Each structure stands twice: as structure tokens, then as C-alpha cells.
Amino acid sequence: MFDGLHIGLSALQTQKKSIETTGHNIANANNEDYSRQKAIQTTKQPNLLPGSNFQMGSGVKVADIERIQDEFINQQVREESQEAGYWDQIQQGMERIEYIFNEPSDSGLQSAFDSFWNSLQDLNTNPSDTATRAAVKNQGMVLTKAFRNINEQMTDYKRSLNSDVDKTVNEINSIAERISNYNKQITTALASNNKPNDLLDKREALYNELNQLVTVKGSTDDVGNLNITVDGKKLVSKFDTNTLKTQQNGTYEDEIVVDLNGKEVKVNPQGGGLKGIMDVRDTEIPTYLDKVDEMADSLKEQFNKKHSNGFDLNGNTGNDFFRINSSYDRASRGIEVHPDIKADDGINKIAAGNFSEDPNVVTGEITDSSNIKTDRYYNVKISDNSGNFDYEIVDSEGNHVYSDTNVPEGTELKFTNFNLTLNGTGETNINFNKSVGNGNNASALAETINQDQVLNGATITDNYQALISTVGVNAQRADQMKNSQQDLVKQLGNIKESVSGVSLDEEMANMIKYQQGYNAAAKLITKTDEMLQTLMGMIR
Amino acid sequence: MRITDNMMVGNMLENLRNNKEKLNKLNQQLSSGKQFNEPSDDPIKVTTSMDFDTKINNYEQYQKDVNNAKSFLQTTENALGDSGKVLQRANELAIYSANDTLNSEDRKSMAEEIKQLRNELISIGNSKLGQDYIFSGQATNQKPLEVNTTYDSTATNPPDNQYVNYKGDHNRILRKISDDDKMKVNLNADNAFKDNIETLNNMYEDLKNGESGEKIASYTTKLQDGMNENTSMRAEVGAKINRLDLIDNRIDENLLNTKRLKSKNEDVDLAKVVTDLKMSENVYQASLSSASRIIQPSLVDFLK
């Protein structure tokens, strides 16, 4: 008789627990980290009816509160999050780098090159004019400032990425710490046969967050610990964590180390946002800075070579126009207009003149200035002979002076008071007086900017355009990768939500179901009670 | 597939975000008129644009240089024109003096005029453009023709029998007028004026010394040679000016062409952008309307 009561009671308790589980689901409907739970109802241990050979059911109980989730999908989401985190950082970095270069615009490096070229062309027209010379100096300063600007902004950004690395490492450490705490709580609960579903949700949420920051490998052991390694080094091991530290390496970048058995070992993130930040800092920025340095070096070399071959308003050769201050580590930071040019009267030192009408063909230098005849000029004709030169020199009257065949490029001819260097094929005149209206060097100098192919087989400005193109292509790719990864993560997230998410309609229906069950169980108890009363009433 | 409320809301928000991003991009294009802002928007078009910018800059500079060269040549041409007139007048006087009925008064006034013509020719030779002497070779700060301090009218040999000395140099002034071209723009006074000046000076001395009309008339040979040479130099200068005009026109065409290509490369097709914008706005509004319906009644509302 009392079995009926027990059965009814078990039903009441079970339906109540089921409704509470439903209520828990409804309460957490908007909790992102929540996996819906289901109370699993199962029959209680049946009783053997004495004096018979069949079993009587004894009611229902909640066997388990199951956490509905698909571990495979979860792992996929985590893996794609690593990629998404990585490309997000790369995209942000490239966006900033594009912003620094600021092309196309009329205030970037390209525009500075153009204006400098303009000033040199003006110098060819007006070599002795003060204002024209001042413009060359000023545009030269604008150009070097543009180089330094790019370098400074990139370097500042690189330095700021160090603090981003630090911040991320701190976040990782904090998450690891909290995961290890949950490990303790979860293993304790599991040991006493409790299913700590909500704790599992929380630990998983942290683990997902960790995956966005850095690529890790995690595995759950038999007692319920989530053990995590990063780059093969232990990060979370049962209840303990290994704290990641940052330290500066030789080139002022923060690198990550961890203490492993008393020794400090370097940690190289294999993916995730942290790797993205470090790739921008250690690969992208240096690559582009190297290219800019290359251009600055080439500009200084080629320009100064021609400049020192020409003569200035004082009749002097051997002046430099650019200088790279070697106390800086990069040419693009150290490049400047030479202090001699910037000084008072420095603009007189700009070498607009050249003995040769075309320095690309032949250049000359005076070796004995006391005896040099400045009223003579020589016509030099150089032709190609399978890569070497044939040349002929005649004087202003047309008399033959000297000729030879099959000499290599760059051959230096030594005459009594001067030397001639053979630079390229063509025909030109050369004479050694130093008139102030000589602008032959100015046009040759202009050519170093955008006609002479002196760097990687192309002009300096060609190289710059190629660099901008590379930056653009890389930025575009980062953008596309970030977007496609985010789409992928979203899709996988939807699948995960489809498995683990709470549907209010479902929960409502379940609520009705359990409520009805509860009502029926209550009715059962009432009826059983009535039967008991009847039984009691029978005995007076 | 099992759909939860969060999924519906999440998807809806995602779509709204995407549509808004599209709208934003189109708005930017419309207001800036440009197809791209950053190299990542379209790397190839951006570098093409940079190339066009430099080309346009260079064409405009070369035009400036061509016009400067033209000024130089025009000043030269004018000077040659003036010197032609000087020689013409001297020639007339020479022919006139073949008439032996010149008296001493006539001779005195003719001598005076020839002297003035000689000085005029020297002055023409010392022409300037701005601050620079144009007939001094590359020594543009140096006056080309200076009266010889050791001049002696009785001397027979240089340097003392030379009335003027040429103090400039014999270098060519080369102006770069295109990537591949340089043009010589100058003549020097040594070639263009000195001989004629000495001729005039000798004529003047002979007149002063009372030489015969025949002797004076014999100067027409030298003077006519001088005039012919002057004319041919002037023609050469004129030809160069014409060539620069042609180059100027060509640069104009190139400029126009390049600007057109640059615009085609960069500028948005307004009709297309406005159409796309309208369409995007419609899509966005539709998605907003659909979003409002997602907040549907669920089973909760139907249970009492």
C-alpha cells in the first residue's frame, strides 16, 4: 500500500527536478557560455514481489543531468578561432601600416620624390639662382623628413606592439590560473560523483577564450582535469599553472619564456592572436622597413656619387648632398641633407655643374689644377662592343686625340692634368672650366630619382611603387582571410548553438509536460491516500 | 537543423552588420568620388594611380622647362633681329659712301653713326635674360663683351688691335626638355657678334682717318657676309623655337590623355554607385524589417 505513496513521491520529486532543470535552461537562455541541460529520467530499482516471480516497478528517478554538447564541433570552433584570432591581428597591423605609408596622397613619400625632382629640373634651368638652389635644399629636406617619418611611425608602432604582447601574455596567464582553479573544483565534484555541469561550462568558456589568444593543445584526463600545453610546454597541469613571462631580447623585442624545471625556455606561439601580433612586429614591419632602408641607402649612394663628381658655385668638387647619420640603426632614420648644405651659404655647395655635358657617358676630374686648360673641350664618343666599350676622343677642332677598342665599363683614362672615366655609351662634350651657369649636373641628379635603374634593376621610385603594391596586396589578403575565418567561425558557432543552445519553445513544451506529470503524480498520491483512509476505516 | 532563438538573433545581427558595411562603403565612394582609399582596396589601381601622378607632375615640369627654354631662345632671336638691323644700316652707309662726293662733314657724321652702331652691337651682345647674360656661354654672370683696355688703333696684331675682348666661355647651355632629350639653347657673342663688331670698329677708324669712299664701300663684303651669317643663325634659333612649340603641344596632349586615364582609373562611375547605393539601401531596409519580425511571439505568449 505504501508503495503507491513512494511511487507518487518519486514522481513528484523527479518532475520537480525536471522542471527545475527546465527553469535553469530558461534562466540561462541568453548565457553565451551555457550548454543546455537535460534531466535524464530512469526507472528506480524494481522490487521483487514476495511470493511471485515478477518484479514491481518502484517509480522514477533522475539518473543524470546531462549537458548537451558535441565535443567535435567544439574543438572545430576552437581551432578555427585560433586562425580567426591570428588574421584579425594581422589585418589590424596591415591597416595601420597602410595608414603610415599614406599613399596615394600628396603628402607621402612619392610626392616628396616628385617635388625634389622638380627642384632639380629647375636647377638645370637656373643653376646660379639663389632661390632655385634654396628650393633644392628645402625639397631635399622634405624628402629626407618623409623617410624619417615613415621610420619613426613604424618604429613607434613596433614598440607599442611589445606592450600588446605583454597584455596578451597577462591575459593568458590569468585564464590559465582560472582554469586550474576550475580543475580543482571539478575534480573534487567528480570524485564525489557529482556532475558539475555549470563548472564545466565555465571552464570551457575560458578554454575557448584562450584559443583565440594563442594556439594550445588541451586534453582532459581521467579525473577531469583539463591539461593545457602551449608550444609543447606545460601551461596548465592539473591544479598548477606555468606562468609565462616576457623579457626583452637583444633587439628590444619582448619574447616569451616559461620556467621549465628551473630553466627558462623560449615559447613560440604557433597560432592565435598572440602569434599575429608577433608576426606583425617581427616579420611584417621589419620587411617593409628593410625595403625603405634599401631605398634610402641607394638614394644616398647614387645621388652623392653624381653630386661629388660635379662642381658647386665655389668651383669645388667632392661635396656630398645627403648623409646617413650612423648613430641610428636604420638608413631611413639616419638619412638627412648634409649639414654642409644646410649651413649658411650651404646652398652654394650644391653641385649643379659638371664638366661633362652627360655624366652618364663620361665623367672627369682635374688632377693638376695649376696646369689645366679650361678653354679646351673634348668630344667623347663611346659605342658598345659586346658589353665593353670602343671609344674615340677628338678635340674642339676635330683633331683626333685618343681612341681604343674593347675596354671595360668604368675604365679610367689618365691624361696629363685630368682623368676621364668611361661610364656608358653615347656621345658628349667635356671641358674643365667651372662656369656658374653650368647646370649639366642638375639634370643628371634628377635622373637618379626616376630614370637611373640603380636598385634591383629598377629606378628608386619604381621600387617604392612595388613596395606599396606589396603592402596593399598583403593588407587585402589579411582582410579577406579575416573575413572568411570570421564567417567560418560564425557558421560553426551556429552548429554548436544548434546542439547546445536553449530553445524557449522547447523549454516551454517541456515545462507543460513536467507540470502535467507533477499534477498526475499528485493525483496518484491523493488517490492512494483515499485508499489508505478506506483501509483504515475498515477496522473499528 | 534545430534552431534556437539565439541563432536567429545572431544571424539577423550579422546580416544587418554586413549590409551596413556595404552601405558605408558605397557612401564613402559617393562622397569622395574615388573608388579606393587605401592600397588594400585595390593594390594594382593604387600603384597605377601613383604612376599617373608622377607622370602628370613630370609633364607639367617639362612644360615649364620648355617654356623657359623658349624664352631664352626668343630673347636670342630678338637680339639677332636687332643686330641684323644694325648691320643693315651699316651696309647702307657703306654703299652710300661709294659715292665719292662725301665731304668732311659727311664723313664726320657717318663716322659718328658707325660708332653708335658698333656700340649698339656690343650692347646687344651683352643682352640679359633676368640676371643672366645669354651670350656668355655658361659664364652667365660674366659680361661677354668688354672693351679692350689695351686697344690701340694703330696696332696691327691681336690682342691690341681688338676693340672688344670676349670674356665668356664656349660651353653649350643644355636644357633638359624631356626624359630623353636635351637642347642647346645658346649662342655665344664670340661667334655671333665679335667679328661684326671689329668690322664696324675698323670702318669707324677708317672713316675717322679720312679713307677714300672706295675703301669704305669695300666694307659691304664683310657686312653682307655678317648679315647672311646672322640670318642663318636666326633661322636656326627660329627652328628651335618651332620645335619647342611642337613639344609643348605634344606635352599638352600627353597631359590631357594621362589625366583622363587617371580619372578613369580612380573616379567612381557615379551612375553605378548611385544605383548600387539605392539597391543596398533597399536590402538594408528589408533586413531591418525582417529583423523586427524575429522578435516573434514564442510559445511563452500562448501559455496562460
Side-chain angles (χ1 to χ4, degrees):
Chain A
M1 181 56 54
F2 294 104
D3 293 339
L5 286 177
H6 288 149
I7 291 174
L9 183 60
S10 76
L12 281 180
Q13 287 173 333
T14 304
Q15 302 310 333
K16 181 159 95 66
K17 277 212 190 86
S18 300
I19 282 196
E20 279 163 12
T21 306
T22 303
H24 191 52
N25 281 347
I26 292 174
N28 282 293
N30 292 328
N31 182 346
E32 284 176 356
D33 303 331
Y34 182 72
S35 301
R36 68 192 165 110
Q37 295 173 3
K38 192 164 148 183
I40 307 294
Q41 297 181 348
T42 186
T43 53
K44 282 172 78 170
Q45 186 73 14
N47 297 324
L48 186 59
L49 206 57
S52 70
N53 54 359
F54 55 83
Q55 296 176 329
M56 266 303 272
S58 58
V60 70
K61 65 172 182 184
V62 172
D64 189 11
I65 301 196
E66 196 183 318
R67 187 167 155 254
I68 311 286
Q69 52 147 29
D70 182 342
E71 188 54 32
F72 177 65
I73 293 288
N74 289 349
Q75 185 55 25
Q76 278 203 306
V77 170
R78 280 193 281 269
E79 279 173 11
E80 296 304 334
S81 298
Q82 290 166 7
E83 276 293 289
Y86 175 75
W87 285 109
D88 187 36
Q89 288 301 328
I90 299 284
Q91 187 270 334
Q92 284 186 39
M94 290 310 298
E95 195 176 44
R96 183 73 177 268
I97 290 173
E98 278 193 308
Y99 185 68
I100 289 174
F101 275 113
N102 191 24
E103 298 285 358
S105 81
D106 49 10
S107 49
L109 191 59
Q110 180 69 52
S111 172
F113 271 127
D114 287 343
S115 300
F116 187 51
W117 182 84
N118 288 350
S119 72
L120 290 167
Q121 277 291 111
D122 284 342
L123 187 65
N124 169 249
T125 299
N126 232 333
S128 58
D129 177 51
T130 314
T132 310
R133 282 173 168 262
V136 170
K137 175 187 88 168
N138 288 335
Q139 293 302 337
M141 287 167 75
V142 166
L143 180 59
T144 53
K145 184 104 189 12
F147 269 107
R148 292 197 302 267
N149 237 7
I150 291 178
N151 176 296
E152 277 167 8
Q153 288 188 55
M154 294 270 257
T155 309
D156 282 348
Y157 180 47
K158 189 169 193 271
R159 222 171 276 139
S160 81
L161 288 175
N162 268 345
S163 65
D164 282 356
V165 168
D166 286 346
K167 230 173 37 172
T168 310
V169 164
N170 286 340
E171 265 181 72
I172 293 173
N173 283 335
S174 153
I175 292 176
E177 181 80 28
R178 286 184 277 161
I179 288 182
S180 73
N181 283 339
Y182 279 126
N183 274 352
K184 204 158 174 188
Q185 294 176 37
I186 288 172
T187 48
T188 311
L190 283 175
S192 24
N193 247 322
N194 291 332
K195 259 282 232 31
N197 285 333
D198 293 338
L199 291 174
L200 286 170
D201 276 346
K202 288 210 180 76
R203 186 178 69 179
E204 177 162 327
L206 283 175
Y207 187 45
N208 290 344
E209 213 183 304
L210 182 62
N211 269 280
Q212 277 194 321
L213 295 177
V214 67
T215 298
V216 290
K217 275 201 177 21
S219 60
T220 323
D221 65 14
D222 302 336
V223 294
N225 286 312
L226 177 63
N227 297 322
I228 305 174
T229 60
V230 62
D231 187 32
K233 283 98 181 164
K234 291 209 185 98
L235 182 64
V236 174
S237 176
K238 305 196 197 226
F239 308 159
D240 291 322
T241 55
N242 234 340
T243 310
L244 300 178
K245 287 201 298 271
T246 58
Q247 67 183 24
Q248 276 201 338
N249 65 13
T251 47
Y252 306 110
E253 282 123 24
D254 283 358
E255 58 178 18
I256 307 167
V257 294
V258 74
D259 200 326
L260 215 55
N261 304 325
K263 211 168 55 154
E264 280 199 342
V265 174
K266 191 150 167 253
V267 174
N268 286 325
Q270 300 296 314
L274 184 58
K275 181 159 200 290
I277 299 175
M278 289 171 80
D279 274 358
V280 172
R281 184 193 68 183
D282 300 334
T283 307
E284 298 291 331
I285 292 181
T287 305
Y288 303 134
L289 270 182
D290 283 347
K291 277 252 157 251
V292 176
D293 284 346
E294 204 182 45
M295 283 162 43
D297 264 327
S298 179
L299 176 68
K300 170 200 167 256
E301 278 305 306
Q302 301 300 327
F303 199 88
N304 277 351
K305 193 159 111 185
K306 282 193 180 170
H307 192 267
S308 69
N309 183 258
F311 59 85
D312 64 9
L313 271 186
N314 305 322
N316 294 326
T317 58
N319 299 342
D320 277 345
F321 186 87
F322 288 117
R323 179 176 86 153
I324 293 187
N325 189 336
S326 54
S327 57
Y328 296 110
D329 59 335
R330 283 187 177 270
S332 53
R333 178 68 182 87
I335 188 167
E336 53 177 0
V337 172
H338 201 283
D340 290 348
I341 307 277
K342 288 197 282 200
D344 290 339
D345 289 341
I347 58 177
N348 294 340
K349 295 208 169 106
I350 299 179
N354 197 301
F355 302 130
S356 163
E357 280 179 3
D358 189 350
N360 291 327
V361 174
V362 69
T363 47
E365 56 172 336
I366 299 178
T367 48
D368 183 359
S369 51
S370 51
N371 280 324
I372 189 86
K373 296 195 173 35
T374 58
D375 60 345
R376 300 251 172 91
Y377 75 77
Y378 302 95
N379 178 285
V380 178
K381 211 184 327 213
I382 301 182
S383 43
D384 177 57
N385 185 350
S386 322
N388 285 337
F389 294 152
D390 297 341
Y391 68 90
E392 188 187 357
I393 306 179
V394 301
D395 69 10
S396 31
E397 267 91 61
N399 301 323
H400 174 264
V401 171
Y402 208 71
S403 64
D404 203 352
T405 55
N406 211 18
V407 296
E409 181 179 325
T411 303
E412 205 182 24
L413 305 174
K414 291 183 168 36
F415 294 85
T416 328
N417 304 315
F418 61 90
N419 294 337
L420 292 183
T421 311
L422 307 177
N423 297 324
T425 54
E427 180 181 345
T428 193
N429 298 325
I430 182 166
N431 98 330
F432 289 95
N433 73 22
K434 299 174 180 176
S435 307
V436 303
N438 184 326
N440 295 338
N441 213 30
S443 48
L445 287 171
E447 286 164 14
T448 52
I449 306 290
N450 60 6
Q451 268 183 268
D452 295 343
Q453 293 176 333
V454 292
L455 184 58
N456 301 323
T459 69
I460 293 182
T461 44
D462 282 347
N463 273 275
Y464 183 58
Q465 281 182 15
L467 173 60
I468 296 296
S469 173
T470 304
V471 170
V473 163
N474 287 348
Q476 197 182 50
R477 177 160 151 265
D479 205 33
Q480 287 167 351
M481 287 303 292
K482 171 184 137 170
N483 285 338
S484 73
Q485 275 304 124
Q486 281 184 345
D487 282 347
L488 188 53
V489 169
K490 188 90 189 46
Q491 265 181 27
L492 288 171
N494 270 349
I495 297 178
K496 180 178 167 183
E497 174 73 13
S498 166
V499 170
S500 309
V502 170
S503 164
L504 285 177
D505 294 343
E506 240 175 53
E507 302 304 325
M508 285 302 126
N510 286 344
M511 230 168 58
I512 298 172
K513 193 170 79 177
Y514 296 136
Q515 192 199 21
Q516 299 288 34
Y518 189 84
N519 289 348
K523 268 280 182 285
L524 170 65
I525 293 181
T526 311
K527 289 297 167 206
T528 310
D529 179 53
E530 280 175 17
M531 288 198 301
L532 273 172
Q533 297 285 24
T534 310
L535 192 59
M536 292 298 134
M538 272 169 49
I539 302 173
R540 281 252 171 252
Chain B
M1 186 169 141
R2 179 173 170 270
I3 302 285
T4 69
D5 313 276
N6 278 339
M7 279 166 73
M8 289 180 76
V9 171
N11 285 342
M12 173 265 284
L13 282 175
E14 182 74 13
N15 287 329
L16 270 183
R17 195 181 64 80
N18 285 339
N19 288 336
K20 230 178 176 155
E21 208 174 299
K22 247 176 243 151
L23 256 185
N24 184 41
K25 186 147 201 259
L26 287 169
N27 263 324
Q28 266 195 321
Q29 283 189 343
L30 193 56
S31 56
S32 72
K34 298 267 169 247
Q35 291 178 26
F36 47 78
N37 287 322
E38 300 285 340
S40 55
D41 291 338
D42 195 331
I44 297 190
K45 283 201 172 196
V46 162
T47 45
T48 308
S49 246
M50 284 169 71
D51 203 35
F52 284 150
D53 281 340
T54 297
K55 279 206 168 65
I56 290 173
N57 177 72
N58 292 3
Y59 282 141
E60 286 174 350
Q61 176 69 33
Y62 278 132
Q63 261 194 331
K64 189 173 161 199
D65 298 334
V66 160
N67 281 321
N68 276 328
K70 243 182 9 179
S71 296
F72 196 97
L73 287 166
Q74 274 161 349
T75 313
T76 304
E77 199 191 21
N78 291 342
L80 289 174
D82 289 343
S83 93
K85 291 197 195 115
V86 162
L87 295 173
Q88 175 95 329
R89 179 68 187 141
N91 199 39
E92 280 171 15
L93 291 173
I95 295 174
Y96 180 66
S97 66
N99 182 351
D100 221 339
T101 59
L102 285 176
N103 58 23
S104 74
E105 278 304 308
D106 294 332
R107 270 175 212 286
K108 220 157 87 179
S109 63
M110 194 184 285
E112 187 58 31
E113 194 173 347
I114 294 292
K115 183 172 107 177
Q116 291 307 322
L117 289 174
R118 174 203 72 190
N119 290 346
E120 176 66 14
L121 207 52
I122 295 175
S123 167
I124 292 173
N126 287 334
S127 291
K128 271 175 140 179
L129 178 61
Q131 302 284 21
D132 300 331
Y133 292 101
I134 61 173
F135 290 115
S136 205
Q138 279 179 339
T140 50
N141 58 342
Q142 171 66 48
K143 197 176 193 174
L145 298 168
E146 274 179 5
V147 174
N148 186 1
T149 43
T150 65
Y151 175 64
D152 183 351
S153 50
T154 58
T156 44
N157 287 324
D160 292 341
N161 72 345
Q162 298 296 302
Y163 183 65
V164 288
N165 284 332
Y166 177 65
K167 309 292 268 178
D169 67 33
H170 294 94
N171 292 351
R172 312 193 296 171
I173 292 185
L174 293 172
R175 296 289 176 81
K176 187 144 194 254
I177 48 175
S178 82
D179 277 350
D180 312 305
D181 252 329
K182 293 189 183 128
M183 181 186 270
K184 164 179 178 268
V185 295
N186 68 326
L187 298 170
N188 63 52
D190 205 15
N191 293 340
F193 302 112
K194 177 138 160 57
D195 289 344
N196 293 328
I197 292 171
E198 298 300 338
T199 306
L200 287 179
N201 187 54
N202 294 339
M203 194 169 157
Y204 165 65
E205 295 290 356
D206 282 350
L207 277 169
K208 249 185 19 190
N209 296 338
E211 293 286 342
S212 71
E214 226 176 279
K215 180 101 193 293
I216 305 295
S218 70
Y219 274 100
T220 54
T221 326
K222 278 227 174 86
L223 286 170
Q224 279 185 353
D225 280 347
M227 284 197 302
N228 288 340
E229 178 124 4
N230 193 56
T231 307
S232 103
M233 281 192 288
R234 196 164 165 212
E236 211 181 293
V237 171
K240 283 192 179 157
I241 294 179
N242 286 343
R243 184 167 162 232
L244 287 179
D245 275 337
L246 287 176
I247 292 177
D248 195 8
N249 286 341
R250 224 171 7 146
I251 296 182
D252 264 342
E253 275 174 28
N254 284 339
L255 260 178
L256 204 61
N257 230 17
T258 310
K259 284 187 179 161
R260 195 173 53 83
L261 285 172
K262 179 174 141 95
S263 164
K264 206 157 142 205
N265 187 47
E266 287 181 0
D267 296 344
V268 291
D269 177 349
L270 236 78
K272 182 169 189 301
V273 171
V274 169
T275 314
D276 284 348
L277 188 61
K278 267 274 143 240
M279 216 160 68
S280 280
E281 277 175 5
N282 283 342
V283 170
Y284 182 62
Q285 282 187 357
S287 62
L288 280 177
S289 159
S290 140
S292 70
R293 299 160 90 73
I294 292 223
I295 324 299
Q296 294 256 32
S298 72
L299 206 47
V300 187
D301 302 302
F302 289 96
L303 292 173
K304 280 185 290 21

